[in-house]
């Protein structure tokens, strides 16, 4: 058991929005996490390991770069690793992570997430570890335990599973309720994220609520695309 748990993120800090507790576990919770960076030189290398409860999308300067985590179970919660160097540029940058935590229990199953997602019982949270090394030797922390990650709750998304047990849920996104300017690199002044718990095993031998392992298969490939037009 101990040999299977990754030590790469040992001690990394899981975070959540200010004022958010474990939340109502009978309905969807969602939040935005954001790290604003000012780079004064080109990036030589930058790697980020990240995971979330239960699902996340990582956006770099407004473009989706990664989704995860890979499906696990109670004893296997995975994290992904991404090379950010090609995506970061001198000047202002923004890493944005959109996180969904699906219902852990609901009496009529209307709020459960998709069957392809393992739903944790600890509530919505996010963790990241990494750094960006700049030309000339400068180093910027990207980890949730060191960098100035901010967060706000997300009220723009909802799901409904009624009558769709075999084909999945319907998802509604109200774009007008998304935070204004979230795709931009300009500072937005969101509140600082709140510490939740550290990952791994504490000095007393107690396991954290989420046991992390490295994703054993390649990340999903992302190919840029766009709609060719609008109908309506």
């Amino acid at each position: 058991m101990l040999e299977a748990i990754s030590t790469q993120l040992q001690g990394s800090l899981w975070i959540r929005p200010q004022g958010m507790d474990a939340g109502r576990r009978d309905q969807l919770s969602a939040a935005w996490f954001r790290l604003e960076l000012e780079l004064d030189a080109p990036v030589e290398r930058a790697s980020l390991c990240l995971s979330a409860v239960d699902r996340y999308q990582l956006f770099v300067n407004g473009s989706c770069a990664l989704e995860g985590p890979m499906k696990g179970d109670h004893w296997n919660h995975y994290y992904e690793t991404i090379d950010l160097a090609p995506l970061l540029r001198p000047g202002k940058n923004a890493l944005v992570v959109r996180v969904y935590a699906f219902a852990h229990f609901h009496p009529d199953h209307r709020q459960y997430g998709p069957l392809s997602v393992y739903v944790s019982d600890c509530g919505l949270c996010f963790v990241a570890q990494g750094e960006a090394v700049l030309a000339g030797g400068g180093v910027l922390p990207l980890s949730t335990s060191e960098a100035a990650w901010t967060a706000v709750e997300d009220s723009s998304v909802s799901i409904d599973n009624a009558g769709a047990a075999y084909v999945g849920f319907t998802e509604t996104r109200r774009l007008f309720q998304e935070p204004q300017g979230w795709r931009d690199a300009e500072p937005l002044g969101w509140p600082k994220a709140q510490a939740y718990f550290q990952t791994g095993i504490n000095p007393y031998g107690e396991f954290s609520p989420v046991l992390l392992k490295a994703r054993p298969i390649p990340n999903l490939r992302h190919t840029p695309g766009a709609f060719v037009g609008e109908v309506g």
Side-chain angles (χ1 to χ4, degrees):
M1 175 67 184
L2 295 179
E3 290 78 5
I5 299 173
S6 173
T7 58
Q8 183 172 355
L9 274 72
Q10 172 75 20
S12 296
L13 186 65
W14 289 81
I15 58 175
R16 57 188 178 184
Q18 288 282 350
M20 174 179 278
D21 54 19
R24 290 185 57 185
R25 303 302 291 124
D26 62 348
Q27 64 184 21
L28 174 77
S29 299
W32 302 84
F33 296 86
R34 181 179 175 90
L35 177 61
E36 297 164 349
L37 303 169
E38 182 82 32
L39 306 181
D40 57 9
V43 175
E44 287 191 347
R45 62 182 185 275
S47 179
L48 187 70
C49 303
L50 68 163
S51 189
V53 173
D54 294 301
R55 292 286 297 168
Y56 72 83
Q57 294 174 292
L58 167 66
F59 297 85
V60 181
N61 294 323
S63 298
C64 187
L66 184 64
E67 295 177 343
M70 172 182 157
K71 183 180 180 180
D73 54 42
H74 182 71
W75 298 108
N76 300 276
H77 194 100
Y78 295 100
Y79 67 87
E80 282 73 32
T81 302
I82 182 172
D83 178 13
L84 294 179
L87 307 176
L88 299 174
R89 61 206 180 199
K92 294 178 181 178
N93 294 261
L95 307 182
V96 176
V97 181
R98 191 173 197 176
V99 176
Y100 305 91
F102 297 103
H104 186 256
F105 168 77
H106 196 277
D108 65 4
H109 301 275
R110 288 175 59 87
Q111 292 279 348
Y112 281 130
L115 297 178
S116 61
V117 175
Y118 172 72
V119 178
S120 174
D121 62 356
C122 69
L124 184 148
C125 51
F126 164 67
V127 66
Q129 179 172 296
E131 63 182 19
V133 178
L134 308 182
V139 178
L140 285 178
L142 306 177
S143 304
T144 46
S145 55
E146 300 177 84
W149 282 90
T150 60
V152 293
E153 294 190 50
D154 181 7
S155 60
S156 68
V157 62
S158 59
I159 63 172
D160 189 357
N161 242 0
Y166 298 102
V167 297
F169 60 87
T170 57
E171 178 178 324
T172 301
R173 293 196 182 189
R174 297 170 290 278
L175 301 183
F176 66 93
Q177 290 184 344
E178 292 184 349
Q180 186 174 4
W182 72 265
R183 290 184 182 272
D184 301 331
E186 294 296 324
L188 296 184
W190 291 3
K192 182 180 178 180
Q194 169 182 304
Y196 190 10
F197 61 86
Q198 287 186 319
T199 192
I201 306 171
N202 69 20
Y204 303 101
E206 299 170 327
F207 293 105
S208 66
V210 181
L211 302 176
L212 287 171
K213 298 181 181 180
R215 181 187 179 107
I217 60 176
N219 295 338
L220 295 176
R221 184 177 64 184
H222 278 259
T223 302
F227 293 108
V228 297
E230 298 181 2
V231 177

